[in-house]
Each structure stands twice: as C-alpha cells, then as structure tokens.
C-alpha cells in the first residue's frame, strides 16, 4: 500500500506518553517506508508552553528512544521537518483561533486529521472549540482514543457530544487491536480459503476460547488501574473485537460498513447477561503475591481492600443459527503465567474411532495473535511403528517466518488508515455502545457484590473458579489441554 494523500495531522496530547511512545515513532516508520505524502505535516498540540524547537527537543529525548528499527540520522532529520508545535489548552476557546489559522494557511492540504490523544473528559470541549474555527468541515477527521467512557451512559454522552460537531463518517474510534495484522489475518483465513468456513459453526465446533494474558502486573499504574480494571481496560473493547472477528458472518465486502454491520450483529446476538446470571457466568479475579512479586493490593497507589479486578473470565453465548450451543470463553488477566493473545477453536470429537481411542483428541485450531503470529491446527497422525495409535500433532504456520516483510505496528496501520479515510478498522458508535450494553450487568453486579475477587497467585493462569467455569461444561482452558 502506498499512501500519498496530503494531510495535516493535529496531534492533541503531543507531549504525552502515547504520542511519544507510539504515535510519533509509528509516523516515523511510515515516513521511512515512503507511505507519507512529502508535504504531510504533523502539528503537535498540548497545554505546555513550548515553541517548535522546545517541542522537538522533547521529541528527541522522549520519542526517538522508542524507534526500535529502521533508524537513520538522515531519515530522522527529514522526518522531524514535518513537525511543528502550537500551545493549545483545550479549555480555552481563544487558543483554537491560532490553530485554525495555522491549519488553514496550508492551502494544499487535502485533509486534516485531529487526533485527540488526551483524556476523554476533553473530547466534547475540544470538538466544540474545533467547530468554532471551522475545523469540523468535511475534510476534517477526528480520532478518539480509548477509553470512550467508563460505562454505557458515559460512552453515549461522549458520542452524543462529538456528534454535535462531527458526522459519524468523520469519527475514528481507536481500538488498536483492530490494527493488528494477525487479527486481520483471521478474516483472510476464514474468508479467503475454502476449507475453514464450512466447519466454522456449531455442527463442528464444540467451544471457543479467547485469551489476552499479560505477564506484567499493574506496577506504577495503580491509580489509573484501580478505577479502570480489566473489564473496562480489555474486555469491553479488545476481547469483544476478537469475539466479533471470530464469530461474524462473511461481510458482503471489506468496506467499512459491511464489516462493521456484521460485527454489530455478533454483539447484538450475545445472550444478554443479567445481574443474577453474572454470578454463574463471570469470574472476577485479582492476583496475589507469589514468587517474590507483589499482589495487586500491595502495588503502589492501590487502595487497601480494593475489589478491582485484574482478571476476568466470561462464558458468553451467541444466540444465532451458526453458534447456538457453543460456549465462547473470554478471559484476560494481568500477572498471568504467560504473555499471549490467542483464539482457540475446539472441534467436536468424531462420532466413532477406528484408531486406538485412548490417544485420540478432537482437532483444535489455535490462532496466536501475539507474541508470535501463527496458526496451529492440531490433527491426529499415526504414531510410527506397530499398532494403530494416533497422536495430536500441530500443522503450524508462523506468519512472521513464512511471509517475510515488514510488519506494521497496529498504530502505524491505523494512522495511515485515518489519513486515507479508511474506516473499516475503527469502531462505529452502535458497535461500541452494544459492547457496553453487554458488559453493564457485570459492572452492576460488581458494584453491589460484597464478595472479594477470587485470588490467583502472580504468574499463574488465573483463579481456580475460572477453571471450574469450564469444568462445569466438561471443558478445560487451552494450557491444560
Ligand atoms: P498523558 O501522558 O497523561 O498525556 C496527556 C496529554 O494531554 C499531554 O500531552 C497533556 O499536555 C495533554 N493535556 C492535558 N490537559 C490538557 C488541556 N487542558 N489542553 C490540552 N492538552 C492537555 O496521557 P497518555 O498516556 O498519552 O494518554 C492519552 C490518551 O490516550 C488517554 O485518553 C489515554 O487513556 C489514552 N491511551 C493511552 C495509552 C498509552 O499507552 N499511554 C494507550 C491507550 C490509550 P501537557 O503535557 O502539555 O499538559
């Protein structure tokens, strides 16, 4: 893909962690790969009173260190020529006048991207002030960082506020999981091959597991994490997107709305949870001290006795023809035994066996999104020698090795898509709100529930209760299979 669309990117929160660690390094990679229009400009914006040179000094010290590949002094020198800076306090309408002037002064600009990498509490005011200076015209796109709200109501409020000034097709709601090559590859696996789709249903699949496990703990981010928790941080957005991509019907095309229509249908087909059914189907966990590591409650800035979950497991059901009766187990956690994001499809067993049964195990397809990008299909092969034994063996493809080539980081892909006006990998309002609607009974149950989260030792695979959640259906988590 070669993008040569001219652009002005107004980067709010330019002095912040996300801009320095991800956004600017990803724009640098796009620059080196020749994917940015030569005239494309990046205008850093934040509250700090800096001039262009002062901001560049920050970029030198805070962003450059995050460029892990393709660095050269000459490329860096040409990249930073794109960068300028303006002090704009979101809460001060008068600051936007200079911003409007600066952007409009560039007559050749084809489109303007306003990236709001700031706290969501600023979104409404930023959009209102942008509109006052005409920076909501049809050639302007606005990117909203997560979290988009903390519950259904606050999410609806943000969406309603932003919609006063921007049309839906101008709004790019980021979920960086959607920018991951491996998640997009899932659609190719399903819809560009003949052999998977016919089996991709309740006739052949017994259960599905979706996992995002982190080994890191909360560490210094206790203050942020304690008011967020794993459900808001990972389930409502990333796990829900993985679920949609796994379970959706084939879209009519890869056009943004065709894909997003199918994803919304999945979320709306989920069997709604109730405050009562949460007790049966959702496990709230919290890591405890082990192997010399702190438990969650010992982490810096975590309030004593906090019930905030660092682990969630959910048994979800999709009430449509394709998936009726197939449990979808979703889980995410911090301080787990491994760092992995994967989708596991457990196929049904054969009706009868002619090979020696004690060693037969149903087929299993494992799609690993990270750390490696791979697909493993566990099949039965005959054990060499006399006898009729079979044993599970993985047919395995490691995309990184088999299909060499530069892998774009999720944020690079997404930034380029915004510049090029491609909405497919961004959340639509109805999709996001449907996901909030699904998790709301969990939040409501937990707000009332006086039972402490289930403990699990740091660097384990989660609480015993999550094991029981699957055992009840005769199932086991992937690492135990
Ligand atoms: P951060 O490090 O705290 O930076 C916040 C930025 O907002 C700074 O540039 C700050 O400017 C600016 N800002 C604060 N008040 C402002 C105001 N009144 N007017 C204009 N600018 C203002 O935050 P961050 O980690 O970069 O995160 C930014 C957003 O992305 C947040 O919504 C966060 O939840 C989301 N996010 C972050 C990450 C991540 O890895 N960091 C990942 C996913 C999502 P000054 O420094 O000049 O005050």
């Amino acid at each position: 893909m070669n993008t040569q669309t001219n652009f002005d990117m107004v980067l709010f929160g330019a002095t912040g962690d996300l801009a320095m660690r991800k956004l600017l390094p990803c724009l640098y990679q796009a620059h080196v790969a020749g994917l940015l229009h030569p005239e494309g400009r990046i205008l850093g914006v934040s509250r700090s009173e800096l001039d262009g040179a002062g901001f560049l000094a920050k970029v030198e010290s805070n962003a450059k260190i995050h460029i892990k590949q393709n660095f050269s002094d000459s490329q860096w020198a040409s990249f930073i020529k794109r960068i300028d800076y303006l002090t704009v306090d979101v809460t001060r309408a008068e600051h936007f006048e200079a911003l409007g002037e600066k952007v409009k002064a560039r007559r050749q600009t084809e489109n303007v991207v306003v990236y709001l990498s700031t706290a969501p509490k600023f979104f409404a005011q930023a959009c209102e002030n942008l509109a006052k200076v005409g920076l909501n015209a049809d050639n302007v796109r606005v990117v909203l960082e997560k979290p988009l709200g903390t519950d259904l109501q606050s999410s609806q409020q943000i969406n309603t506020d932003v919609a006063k000034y921007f049309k839906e097709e101008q709004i790019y709601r980021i979920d960086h999981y959607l920018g991951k090559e491996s998640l997009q590859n899932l659609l190719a696996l399903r819809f560009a091959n003949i052999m998977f789709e016919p089996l991709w249903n309740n006739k052949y699949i017994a259960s599905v597991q979706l996992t995002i496990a982190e080994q890191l703990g909360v560490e210094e981010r206790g203050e942020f994490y304690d008011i967020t928790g794993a459900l808001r941080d990972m389930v409502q957005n990333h796990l829900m997107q993985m679920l949609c991509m796994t379970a959706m019907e084939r879209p009519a095309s890869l056009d943004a709305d065709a894909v997003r229509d199918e994803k919304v249908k999945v979320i709306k087909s989920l069997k709604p949870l109730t405050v009562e059914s949460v007790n049966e189907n959702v496990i709230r966990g919290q890591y405890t001290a082990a192997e010399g590591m702190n438990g969650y409650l010992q982490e810096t800035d975590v309030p004593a006795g906090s019930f905030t979950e660092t682990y969630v497991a959910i048994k979800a059901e999709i009430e449509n023809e394709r998936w009726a009766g197939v449990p979808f187990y979703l889980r995410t956690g911090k301080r787990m035994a491994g760092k992995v994001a994967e989708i596991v499809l457990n196929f049904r067993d054969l009706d009868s066996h002619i090979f020696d049964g004690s060693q037969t195990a149903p087929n299993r397809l494992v799609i690993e999104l990270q750390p490696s990008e791979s697909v493993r299909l566990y099949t039965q092969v005959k054990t060499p020698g006399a006898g009729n034994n079979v044993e599970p063996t993985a047919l395995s493809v490691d995309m990184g090795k088999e299909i060499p080539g530069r892998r774009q980081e999720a944020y690079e892909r997404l930034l380029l898509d915004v510049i090029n006006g491609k909405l497919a990998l961004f959340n639509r309002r109805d999709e996001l709100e449907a996901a909030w609607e699904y998790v709301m009974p969990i939040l409501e149950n937990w707000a009332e529930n006086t039972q402490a989260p289930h403990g699990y030792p740091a660097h384990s695979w989660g609480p015993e209760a999550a094991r029981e959640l699957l055992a009840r259906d005769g199932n086991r988590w992937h690492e135990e299979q």
Side-chain angles (χ1 to χ4, degrees):
M1 182 186 65
N2 191 8
T3 163
Q4 291 296 338
T5 316
N6 200 355
F7 68 95
D8 267 354
M9 180 167 297
V10 180
L11 182 52
F12 278 82
T15 53
D17 174 70
L18 185 66
M20 293 293 178
R21 216 164 35 81
K22 288 277 176 208
L23 304 179
L24 290 166
C26 283
L27 285 165
Y28 169 81
Q29 294 296 347
H31 169 85
V32 173
L35 300 175
L36 297 184
H37 189 284
E39 312 264 324
R41 182 173 73 159
I42 302 158
L43 180 62
V45 163
S46 74
R47 228 172 8 178
S48 302
E49 299 207 351
L50 298 165
D51 57 12
F55 179 62
L56 277 184
K58 271 189 186 288
V59 173
E60 282 284 338
S61 54
N62 299 347
K64 201 162 129 179
I65 48 170
H66 296 294
I67 296 171
K68 306 286 183 222
Q69 53 178 344
N70 303 324
F71 186 81
S72 86
D73 287 330
S74 61
Q75 288 285 11
W76 180 252
S78 67
F79 172 66
I80 60 174
K81 284 198 187 120
R82 297 177 182 274
I83 301 178
D84 197 357
Y85 180 81
L86 192 67
T87 302
V88 178
D89 185 328
V90 171
T91 61
R92 298 190 47 191
E94 68 276 17
H95 283 188
F96 284 73
E97 281 158 27
L99 177 63
E101 292 304 315
K102 199 151 187 144
V103 174
K104 280 177 207 155
R106 278 177 49 96
R107 291 180 202 282
Q108 71 271 46
T109 299
E110 286 164 27
N111 64 71
V112 178
V113 173
V114 179
Y115 197 124
L116 295 180
S117 175
T118 54
K121 67 178 179 197
F122 292 126
F123 290 173
Q125 206 168 7
C127 291
E128 183 185 350
N129 286 332
L130 286 164
K132 281 185 186 151
V133 297
L135 281 177
N136 64 337
D138 286 350
N139 66 332
V140 182
R141 297 172 191 141
V142 65
V143 184
L144 306 180
E145 253 304 334
K146 77 158 207 181
L148 268 174
T150 52
D151 56 17
L152 177 61
Q153 200 198 355
S154 55
S155 170
Q156 284 171 329
Q157 188 63 54
I158 292 172
N159 284 325
T160 302
D161 288 341
V162 174
K164 286 182 199 154
Y165 310 104
F166 290 91
K167 295 178 213 132
E168 181 63 28
E169 62 268 25
Q170 294 175 279
I171 304 171
Y172 289 68
R173 299 178 187 84
I174 288 253
D175 181 330
H176 76 272
Y177 256 68
L178 283 175
K180 284 184 186 290
E181 192 70 45
S182 44
L183 200 52
Q184 292 157 41
N185 197 40
L186 173 59
L187 293 192
L189 192 75
R190 289 188 59 192
F191 301 128
N193 295 293
I194 199 168
M195 57 193 293
F196 294 108
E197 202 48 21
L199 306 179
W200 212 266
N201 55 54
N202 52 8
K203 188 162 177 218
Y204 297 102
I205 292 174
S207 68
V208 179
Q209 296 180 16
L210 309 171
T211 299
I212 305 178
E214 297 175 280
Q215 268 192 314
L216 287 177
V218 169
E219 314 199 334
E220 305 305 313
R221 295 172 71 230
E223 197 180 332
F224 155 81
Y225 197 84
D226 202 67
I227 51 171
T228 306
L231 188 77
R232 292 183 173 98
D233 197 32
M234 304 298 283
V235 178
Q236 180 275 337
N237 36 47
H238 307 324
L239 270 174
M240 205 56 91
Q241 290 300 328
M242 276 166 68
L243 173 76
C244 287
M245 301 287 252
T246 308
M248 68 194 263
E249 298 297 316
R250 180 184 187 275
S253 70
L254 290 176
D255 288 350
D257 279 330
V259 174
R260 300 191 299 179
D261 284 347
E262 294 305 335
K263 289 200 294 170
V264 176
K265 281 188 210 159
V266 173
I267 308 177
K268 293 206 164 173
S269 304
L270 282 167
K271 181 177 178 182
L273 292 163
T274 61
V275 176
E276 297 72 40
S277 73
V278 167
N279 294 332
E280 290 284 300
N281 294 298
V282 183
I283 305 297
R284 166 163 67 160
Q286 197 180 71
Y287 61 86
T288 55
E291 297 176 12
M293 285 170 286
N294 279 341
Y296 177 68
L297 294 178
Q298 289 87 53
E299 302 282 24
T300 320
D301 296 332
V302 170
S306 167
F307 274 15
T308 295
E309 76 288 358
T310 62
Y311 175 99
V312 187
I314 301 175
K315 176 184 169 183
E317 290 169 78
I318 301 174
E319 295 183 306
N320 64 15
E321 210 179 324
R322 183 186 287 264
W323 294 117
V326 179
F328 278 72
Y329 303 108
L330 284 59
R331 68 174 165 168
T332 184
K334 288 200 172 287
R335 276 279 185 255
M336 304 231 350
K339 174 180 162 69
V340 69
E342 68 182 12
I343 298 165
V344 179
L345 293 104
N346 289 301
F347 287 83
R348 295 194 183 283
D349 203 353
L350 292 167
D351 290 337
S352 63
H353 298 276
I354 54 172
F355 285 89
D356 282 349
S358 62
Q359 280 157 324
T360 60
N363 296 130
R364 191 172 356 128
L365 181 66
V366 179
I367 300 163
E368 191 172 300
L369 311 179
Q370 62 184 41
S372 77
E373 215 185 289
S374 64
V375 178
R376 299 191 299 280
L377 176 61
Y378 288 88
T379 50
Q380 298 296 340
V381 298
K382 188 180 162 299
T383 309
N388 290 319
N389 291 337
V390 288
E391 55 190 86
T393 305
L395 304 176
S396 178
V397 182
D398 183 328
M399 315 295 181
K401 289 189 186 133
E402 294 293 326
I403 311 169
R406 186 176 76 90
R407 293 293 197 266
Q408 285 177 328
E409 250 200 70
Y411 269 107
E412 181 187 337
R413 166 70 198 259
L414 296 175
L415 283 159
L416 288 167
D417 277 6
V418 186
I419 290 170
N420 289 302
K422 294 184 179 170
L423 271 162
L425 301 181
F426 296 85
N427 281 321
R428 207 169 55 189
R429 176 176 184 167
D430 54 349
E431 194 180 349
L432 184 84
E433 292 180 1
W436 273 119
E437 224 162 293
Y438 179 72
V439 301
M440 280 312 291
I442 308 178
L443 290 174
E444 284 159 21
N445 177 305
W446 289 354
E448 303 287 314
N449 201 328
T450 51
Q451 202 185 345
H454 298 276
Y456 62 97
H459 282 188
S460 70
W461 279 110
E464 188 52 38
R467 230 156 273 139
E468 285 158 15
L469 179 73
L470 271 68
R472 230 171 46 200
D473 303 334
N475 292 324
R476 284 176 297 172
W477 289 108
H478 179 207
E479 67 279 358
E480 294 171 353
Q481 287 175 335

